[in-house]
Amino acid sequence: MSKANSSTDTGADARTAEGSRTGAGTRTDTGADERAQRRADRAAGERLSTAPREESPEAESGSGSGGGVPAMGVIGWIRWFWRQLTSMRVALILLFLLSLGAIPGSLIPQTSVDDFKVQEFKDQHTTLTPIYEKLQLFDVYSSVWFSAIYILLFVSLIGCIVPRTGQFVGQLRSRPPGAPKRLTRLPAYTTWRTEADPEQVREAALGVLGKRRFRAHTVGDAVAAEKGYLREAGNLVFHVALIVMLVAFATGQLFKSEGGKLVVEGDGFANTLTQYDDFKSGSLYDSDTLAPFSFVLDKFVGTYEESGPQRGTPRTFEARVTYNKGADGPDRKAVIRVNEPLVVDGTKVYLIAHGYAPVVTVRDSKGKVVSRNAVPLLPIDNNITSTGAIKVMDGYRDKNGEKTQLGFKAFFVPTFAGHGKGEMFSQFPGAEYPVLALSAYHGSLGVDSGLPQNVYQLDTSKMEEFKDENGELLKKMLRPGEKLDLSNGEGSITFEGIEEWASFQISQQPGNGLALGGAIAAIAGLAASLFIQRRRVWVRAVRGADGVTVVEMAGLGRSESAKLPEELGDLAAALLTTAPVAAEKPGKPESSEKPETAEKPEGPGKPEKPAASDASAPSEGPDAATHEDDATNEAGSRPVHPAEAPAEGAEK
């Protein structure tokens, strides 16, 4: 605070203290004293805060004639709405609304994440779909209402931080204000008498407070000190960190790229758009910024617990790859594990899934090999029971020489329990007894229409079944090396063996590091604002009429805390080593307590008697120190610990 503010604080406290006296010099009742003290404490506490004061529209416009309130103009309303928007209350409300808005984005399939799930949801919920579409619940994070909350929160935080930062910088550049006239009004207070000189006491107080990291200086007959600025700094850091996290979130959404690729052992991937199975990016992303690299899946290694209650639980789950940077970079070996991605030029390659790809060979009626490849199948349970489709689109001709297409519904289990032992489901995720079940079709696969198809599903609407000798759908369970002969000598399909595949997610998130830094800073700032208390301490040392120095110490915190009296007591104990308690004069009673008597107006040269709550404080006035009882506390000259001081208005 500036010097002007310091004098204002002292004057305000003095006026509040003087306001507790009547014009005739008599003391008001205890209730009036308590109200005056509460007003003084509240005013002093508000001066410890950098929070902007909120004014109502009525206060903004001023009072009108006859007690009415005139209407505000356009500028007045704009200023009022700006104050409301930049208030901490509105910022918290907007933050809560943003959290609520993210809930449907997590529960409802999003177009930006998976188009197929969105379409499946629409097909299953025909009644809710029109409502969700109007509310933009399939595109929550790019919706108008979510963007409005996001922008308003951003503006609110900036409008809240800027003025608080200026006020906080001003407080750091200023010095602690001088001591109030009546330190007894403060919540933590103690006093004693000492033979040390007042200048010596003040110098010792500066040393003691300086060692405790207080900012201290001498103002008049007292030392003013302040501590706990990290509380306000923590508040500002917390709010700045929120802005950083919002910026990081926006950056990640606008400039991100994310795609998926399924790779069978022995195959590879190059980081170009044509290589992705699916690819999504932010609206400002430039595909030319794709990091140039490629990799080959050498082998997938998966081991599982073979016995006990954890049977089937993965123990090893890693993809061993060979990768290189650029078009002609050297080959490098790497192992990609769950949550341990391969990082190449800021792009991360995550291992997200694993499964089996049966190797099948299809021959036509003349025994010619039409296709031979590993067909990835989609796992449907934790034991990697898998399903999918085998499609032969080109190269096959029937026994009449006509071109047609073949399709096989495939069902695979890596560990089959055996015939007569329940349905065909895998008993273990490892490939200990693999079995492939196939059912055969021929006709049109529907791929020539140009419409996208699910590679794991077979559309049989334009296909015919191959029949067995009983006129039923031709199907068979195959072990590695076995084959299924198509009816009427139309060819065959052979189950050669199995390979494994791994699915990778290749993503570039430019805002991740910024978001992590913002989150750490937010936690640190919040901890500082919660556990650090800003407080002020004053030490006054004046010489009494009898030549003995009277020392008063008082403390004021921004919020009530039991630590403030304890800290003031520790400071008083440290100061006592330099300014010890003065010895009692011979003949003086051990206790200065007096029976309560009716209050009398002050006479010339004689101070008024303090109230019960102020029994340990010297009375005000130029000659207040002449009365010996005003320089001691309830136990003679022993300093009272602030925690032991009687409450305001309490009876002795």
Side-chain angles (χ1 to χ4, degrees):
M1 295 184 181
S2 64
K3 292 182 179 180
N5 290 337
S6 299
S7 61
T8 302
D9 293 347
T10 306
D13 290 332
R15 288 192 298 272
T16 303
E18 289 296 330
S20 64
R21 296 177 179 270
T22 62
T26 59
R27 182 176 301 275
T28 59
D29 57 23
T30 304
D33 287 343
E34 291 179 352
R35 289 192 295 272
Q37 179 178 353
R38 285 195 295 269
R39 287 195 297 270
D41 293 345
R42 183 165 57 252
E46 289 174 353
R47 289 193 293 273
L48 285 173
S49 174
T50 61
R53 297 179 180 177
E54 298 182 9
E55 298 181 9
S56 63
E58 293 79 1
E60 180 75 23
S61 60
S63 59
S65 59
V69 178
M72 290 193 303
V74 176
I75 302 300
W77 277 110
I78 292 176
R79 293 178 63 186
W80 181 79
F81 278 119
W82 174 252
R83 286 197 179 103
Q84 298 305 309
L85 179 61
T86 57
S87 66
M88 188 55 57
R89 177 179 62 255
V90 173
L92 292 175
I93 292 174
L94 290 173
L95 187 62
F96 177 70
L97 292 177
L98 195 70
S99 303
L100 288 180
I103 293 177
S106 303
L107 300 179
I108 300 175
Q110 298 295 295
T111 304
S112 60
V113 177
D114 195 330
D115 291 329
F116 289 105
K117 286 187 177 180
V118 172
Q119 188 59 47
E120 183 179 358
F121 183 90
K122 291 180 178 180
D123 295 339
Q124 295 177 356
H125 305 84
T126 56
T127 303
L128 293 176
T129 296
I131 301 175
Y132 284 6
E133 288 179 341
K134 290 182 179 179
L135 296 177
Q136 298 179 298
L137 296 184
F138 295 116
D139 299 278
V140 168
Y141 301 110
S142 60
S143 63
V144 174
W145 56 270
F146 190 87
S147 301
I149 298 174
Y150 189 88
I151 294 173
L152 285 175
L153 178 60
F154 196 83
V155 173
S156 177
L157 288 174
I158 293 178
C160 180
I161 289 173
V162 171
R164 291 175 70 109
T165 303
Q167 294 176 24
F168 181 62
V169 171
Q171 291 181 0
L172 289 178
R173 298 178 62 183
S174 65
R175 308 183 77 178
K181 188 174 182 181
R182 294 193 64 182
L183 294 179
T184 55
R185 291 294 188 189
L186 301 183
Y189 174 82
T190 187
T191 182
W192 71 93
R193 290 157 48 88
T194 181
E195 297 291 346
D197 294 334
E199 295 78 8
Q200 183 182 1
V201 174
R202 289 192 286 268
E203 183 178 355
L206 284 173
V208 170
L209 292 169
K211 291 180 180 179
R212 304 294 180 94
R213 298 187 299 277
F214 278 85
R215 293 176 57 195
H217 70 120
T218 302
V219 184
D221 60 358
V223 173
E226 191 167 7
K227 187 179 181 181
Y229 287 95
L230 284 179
R231 178 188 179 94
E232 294 300 330
N235 278 330
L236 294 176
V237 168
F238 173 72
H239 293 98
V240 171
L242 290 181
I243 293 181
V244 171
M245 294 173 66
L246 291 176
V247 171
F249 178 78
T251 302
Q253 291 297 314
L254 294 175
F255 296 96
K256 74 174 182 178
S257 67
E258 186 176 277
K261 179 64 178 179
L262 186 148
V263 183
V264 181
E265 288 177 336
D267 292 342
F269 166 79
N271 193 27
T272 60
L273 288 178
T274 57
Q275 288 282 301
Y276 283 92
D277 294 334
D278 59 86
F279 184 84
K280 296 183 183 298
S281 63
S283 57
L284 299 181
Y285 181 77
D286 185 4
S287 60
D288 294 336
T289 61
L290 284 172
F293 71 92
S294 61
F295 68 86
V296 175
L297 177 60
D298 299 326
K299 184 176 180 58
F300 180 87
V301 178
T303 60
Y304 310 90
E305 188 69 35
E306 297 185 355
S307 61
Q310 299 292 324
R311 185 175 189 272
T313 302
R315 294 306 180 197
T316 305
F317 202 78
E318 59 185 31
R320 300 175 183 176
V321 300
T322 301
Y323 76 99
N324 54 68
K325 298 181 181 180
D328 53 357
D331 291 343
R332 303 179 183 180
K333 298 290 185 179
V335 177
I336 305 175
R337 300 182 179 88
V338 178
N339 296 326
E340 296 181 17
L342 170 66
V343 182
V344 182
D345 292 338
T347 301
K348 296 182 179 181
V349 182
Y350 292 92
L351 174 63
I352 60 174
H354 155 259
Y356 293 100
V359 180
V360 295
T361 301
V362 178
R363 295 178 173 83
D364 60 12
S365 58
K366 298 180 180 180
K368 178 183 176 181
V369 176
V370 177
S371 69
R372 186 182 188 280
N373 51 28
V375 183
L377 301 181
L378 183 66
I380 60 175
D381 62 20
N382 292 333
N383 287 326
I384 318 184
T385 301
S386 307
T387 183
I390 301 172
K391 301 177 182 181
V392 180
M393 294 176 283
D394 299 310
Y396 176 80
R397 294 177 181 271
D398 61 15
K399 63 180 180 180
N400 298 323
E402 296 182 0
K403 290 184 178 181
T404 187
Q405 295 175 333
L406 299 179
F408 301 89
K409 289 184 178 181
F411 195 85
F412 174 79
V413 290
T415 302
F416 182 46
H419 294 283
K421 296 183 179 180
E423 297 181 358
M424 184 178 171
F425 282 94
S426 179
Q427 307 298 313
F428 188 74
E432 296 184 354
Y433 194 86
V435 173
L436 175 65
L438 297 174
S439 55
Y441 299 83
H442 64 94
S444 174
L445 294 170
V447 296
D448 299 330
S449 62
L451 298 176
Q453 282 190 351
N454 190 329
V455 296
Y456 301 107
Q457 294 180 352
L458 182 65
D459 182 7
T460 60
S461 59
K462 297 181 180 180
M463 305 190 76
E464 297 180 3
E465 300 175 349
F466 280 104
K467 302 293 185 179
D468 59 12
E469 57 186 12
N470 297 323
E472 302 292 337
L473 173 64
L474 180 64
K475 55 186 178 181
K476 186 178 181 181
M477 290 190 297
L478 306 176
R479 290 273 295 141
E482 298 178 351
K483 69 177 181 178
L484 169 64
D485 292 322
L486 303 179
S487 57
N488 301 322
E490 296 286 349
S492 64
I493 179 172
T494 305
F495 178 25
E496 305 287 355
I498 56 173
E499 293 182 359
E500 299 186 62
W501 59 261
S503 181
F504 300 92
Q505 177 180 293
I506 300 94
S507 63
Q508 186 176 2
Q509 298 282 353
N512 283 353
L514 196 62
L516 177 61
I520 294 175
I523 294 174
L526 184 61
S529 65
L530 290 177
F531 298 109
I532 297 177
Q533 183 187 21
R534 189 173 173 193
R535 62 274 196 198
R536 288 173 179 165
V537 173
W538 291 277
V539 181
R540 175 175 285 149
V542 295
R543 191 179 299 279
D546 57 354
V548 180
T549 301
V550 180
V551 182
E552 290 183 285
M553 293 186 67
L556 176 64
R558 180 175 175 180
S559 59
E560 294 184 3
S561 173
K563 294 183 179 180
L564 179 61
E566 294 177 3
E567 185 175 29
L568 190 67
D570 293 339
L571 291 172
L575 188 57
L576 279 171
T577 59
T578 304
V581 176
E584 289 290 339
K585 293 183 178 181
K588 180 176 175 60
E590 293 185 1
S591 175
S592 61
E593 286 188 303
K594 298 180 180 181
E596 296 188 9
T597 59
E599 296 183 9
K600 299 179 181 180
E602 290 182 0
K606 184 176 182 179
E608 74 174 60
K609 179 182 177 181
S613 60
D614 300 330
S616 61
S619 301
E620 297 182 22
D623 55 352
T626 60
H627 199 293
E628 188 172 342
D629 289 340
D630 293 331
T632 58
N633 51 44
E634 297 167 351
S637 296
R638 182 182 62 84
V640 177
H641 193 286
E644 302 172 355
E648 184 72 18
E651 295 184 0
K652 291 184 179 179

